[in-house]
Amino acid sequence: MTSTTTSAATTEQTVPAPVAATVDYLDRRVGLGFAIRGLARKLFPDHWSFLLGEIALYSFIVLILSGIFLTMFFVPSMAEVHYPENALPVTMQGVEMSEAFASTLNLSFHVRGGLLMRQIHHWAALMFVGSMVVHMLRVFFTGAFRKPRELNWVVGFTMLVLSLLAGLTGYSLPDDVLSGNGLRITDGVVRSIPIIGAYMSYMVFGGEFPGTEVIPRMFTLHILLIPGLILALLALHLFLVFWQKHTQYPGPGRTDKNVVGYPLLPVYTAKAGGFFFIVFGVLALMGATMSINSVWNYGPFDPALVSAGAQPDWYMLFLEGSLRLMPGQTEFVILGWTLSLNVLIPAVVVPGLLFTFLGAYPFVENAITKDVGEHHVLDRPRNAATRTALGTAFLSVFFVLLVAGANDLVATHFGLSLNAITLVLRVLIFVLPVVVFIVTKRVCLSLQRKDREVVLHGHETGIVRRTADGRFYEVHKPLDEYERWVRVGHHVYRPLELPPREDARGVRRPGGRADGIRMRLSRFFFEDRVEPVTPAELAAAQSHGEHDELPAAPEGSSAAELAGTRGTSH
């Protein structure tokens, strides 16, 4: 089916006069009827993994709503005050602190619903970043970033970076010991940048750390600039999804020229609206039952204090882990300038390489394949073995850094040596990605071979039969046409074949060096591959399939027709 619609019996319905007048007014001024008709016919595929992006969207909406509430009571000031002697919590009574920390305590203990809103806001932030990361991984592994969606990938990548900045500026606002230590690390990272680091630190903090300006500045970034940019990019992202059509998984009737799914109105809208309340309900339940960021346990920020066992939120933990893995001896003084490679490499270079890989990958793959066609049907990850292997290798680095960021907790909880854990992780950060890449690529190629085997010989049934002459064989169940299409209908990329860099007279052609690099990359990506079954191979296999229990074929159909059309080779 190309679309799924719901038709109901035509019934007479009376529209209230004010509603009819308003709709008519908007239709005459802005063409509301035309817009609604166009949106109502817009089709969206139905698959559970598409909900990941919706979770990010709905978490962001909860963030905005709860953030508006928190803004009413938070005081973004670093002015020193003494917490009232008669206010909760008891441990903070009479303690000197900033107005920002005092207002956070007041919000948590004396504003009705304030602590609930704080915790909902924090859990929504974690959910927002987490769902964005998993959503982008789904896009990466299925090839949804290919033409014409490279721009949308960049938009999503930029939103991810902005969400990390929003988290950094957000959990720094309470001005407690934990967030203050995080800001101290931020100051050290900024100062590690050669030549301009000290000037940038003065600009961020308004003088020597911690200064008196950083909380008001981060408050402005957190509630105004960063959310505004995310909202603008979110609107652009949704517009591009509408304009370019939604991607869809391989299946019956699904091609690059159509969309199989449900219309926006009323089916998809009802499902999406219901899912929003599910996400909101889960976040509210987490905020009500799961304590997070209890700042009164840490106390107000004091540069002389560092809390033990402290980690940032999970999405910044990789940066903490990178810093903990770097040996401390790599700091040098050159002509009076201190070059802190022990901070610069793990906090600037390593994250820069990881984010550069993530942001630039679609353009690198497109340059290698020279693919100019549009792609609306997604890849099965096994059919893009090198891409899948690179993605899992990237994830292995990320997970090693996550463990490194909590190496002290791992040591205390499991009774291990902290130095031994750090040493092992220093080795794994280089070895594990290589091992994961090789294993993942081998697994993908093996799955492709399994697909060939299943297409040619069918599913194993476990039924063993004996012939009259005493021979034994296992009965195989042939695939139906839809199963077969999924396994043979994907695009096949092969290494580029380029002419020699020099012609017969020894003259080098322009761009020969760049083409050589592209050819080597193409060979790296596509030299190891398994060709899908062709209709001719399927027909030959079926002609010798005396052990198969073949279903009755439709009248007039051939084995080649049942095999489907093989994807275009590039």
Side-chain angles (χ1 to χ4, degrees), residues 128-139:
F128 175 56
V129 182
S131 55
M132 282 187 65
V133 169
V134 180
H135 174 64
M136 290 194 69
L137 289 176
R138 195 275 300 173
V139 172

Side-chain angles (χ1 to χ4, degrees), residues 250-253 380 382-383 451-452 454-456 458-459 477-490 538 551 562-564:
R380 301 172 78 204
R382 67 181 64 182
N383 293 332
D451 282 343
R452 278 188 60 90
V454 170
V455 170
L456 290 174
H459 294 293
K477 178 183 177 182
L479 281 66
D480 60 39
E481 57 184 309
Y482 298 139
E483 289 182 292
R484 188 178 298 121
W485 187 89
V486 169
R487 288 169 171 80
V488 303
H490 58 275
L538 179 63
L562 290 176

Side-chain angles (χ1 to χ4, degrees), residues 384-452:
T386 302
R387 180 205 300 154
T388 303
L390 286 173
T392 52
F394 173 89
L395 285 177
S396 69
V397 175
F398 182 74
F399 285 125
V400 169
L401 296 179
L402 288 185
V403 175
N407 59 356
D408 53 342
L409 295 182
V410 174
T412 56
H413 281 65
F414 294 95
L416 302 174
S417 167
L418 178 64
N419 293 332
I421 293 173
T422 303
L423 181 60
V424 170
L425 292 176
R426 284 175 179 173
V427 174
L428 286 179
I429 196 71
F430 296 103
V431 175
L432 187 61
V434 178
V435 174
V436 169
F437 176 86
I438 295 173
V439 171
T440 303
K441 190 168 183 178
R442 292 296 101 190
V443 169
C444 289
L445 293 174
S446 297
L447 290 173
Q448 291 183 44
R449 294 188 185 96
K450 179 62 177 178
D451 282 343
R452 278 188 60 90

Side-chain angles (χ1 to χ4, degrees), residues 192-273:
S192 72
I193 301 175
I195 302 177
I196 63 173
Y199 301 104
M200 292 180 63
S201 174
Y202 269 62
M203 181 183 69
V204 171
F205 294 96
E208 284 286 350
F209 175 86
T212 59
E213 303 294 334
V214 65
I215 296 299
R217 291 178 179 180
M218 286 200 166
F219 182 73
T220 302
L221 291 173
H222 184 69
I223 72 164
L224 183 63
L225 181 60
I226 297 177
L229 292 174
I230 293 178
L231 276 173
L233 292 173
L234 184 60
L236 178 59
H237 179 75
L238 294 177
F239 169 77
L240 290 175
V241 170
F242 271 83
W243 185 260
Q244 297 171 341
K245 297 191 301 186
H246 204 292
T247 56
Q248 53 190 345
Y249 284 94
R254 299 171 186 177
T255 69
D256 289 328
K257 300 184 182 299
N258 71 341
V259 177
V260 178
Y262 295 95
L264 179 65
L265 295 173
V267 179
Y268 198 83
T269 303
K271 295 174 67 175

Side-chain angles (χ1 to χ4, degrees), residues 532-549:
V533 176
T534 63
E537 290 176 323
L538 179 63
Q542 289 185 345
S543 66
H544 296 87
E546 67 274 8
H547 297 160
D548 295 344
E549 289 190 344

Side-chain angles (χ1 to χ4, degrees), residues 164-183:
L164 299 182
L165 294 177
L168 174 65
T169 55
Y171 68 63
S172 300
L173 292 180
D175 199 30
D176 61 300
V177 169
L178 186 61
S179 64
N181 290 334
L183 283 179

Side-chain angles (χ1 to χ4, degrees), residues 484-561:
R484 188 178 298 121
W485 187 89
V486 169
R487 288 169 171 80
V488 303
H490 58 275
H491 291 268
V492 181
Y493 295 98
R494 298 182 179 85
L496 296 176
E497 296 181 3
L498 301 175
R501 292 180 59 183
E502 298 180 355
D503 60 18
R505 289 177 286 185
V507 178
R508 292 191 172 218
R509 59 184 179 82
R513 183 178 301 241
D515 287 342
I517 296 174
R518 186 181 298 112
M519 185 169 61
R520 285 191 291 271
L521 286 173
S522 178
R523 189 177 298 118
F524 167 75
F525 268 79
F526 306 118
E527 189 170 34
D528 295 329
R529 67 189 185 278
V530 177
E531 298 285 347
V533 176
T534 63
E537 290 176 323
L538 179 63
Q542 289 185 345
S543 66
H544 296 87
E546 67 274 8
H547 297 160
D548 295 344
E549 289 190 344
L550 295 176
E555 184 176 353
S557 63
S558 64
E561 291 171 342

Side-chain angles (χ1 to χ4, degrees), residues 331-402:
E331 182 173 285
F332 309 97
V333 178
I334 304 175
L335 300 177
W337 295 89
T338 301
L339 183 61
S340 300
L341 295 180
N342 55 342
V343 178
L344 181 66
I345 292 177
V348 179
V349 176
V350 171
L353 292 175
L354 292 177
F355 281 107
T356 299
F357 167 82
L358 195 61
Y361 183 85
F363 305 97
V364 174
E365 184 172 305
N366 183 261
I368 294 171
T369 60
K370 288 294 186 180
D371 190 357
V372 296
E374 292 192 0
H375 298 276
H376 302 290
V377 177
L378 299 173
D379 283 334
R380 301 172 78 204
R382 67 181 64 182
N383 293 332
T386 302
R387 180 205 300 154
T388 303
L390 286 173
T392 52
F394 173 89
L395 285 177
S396 69
V397 175
F398 182 74
F399 285 125
V400 169
L401 296 179
L402 288 185

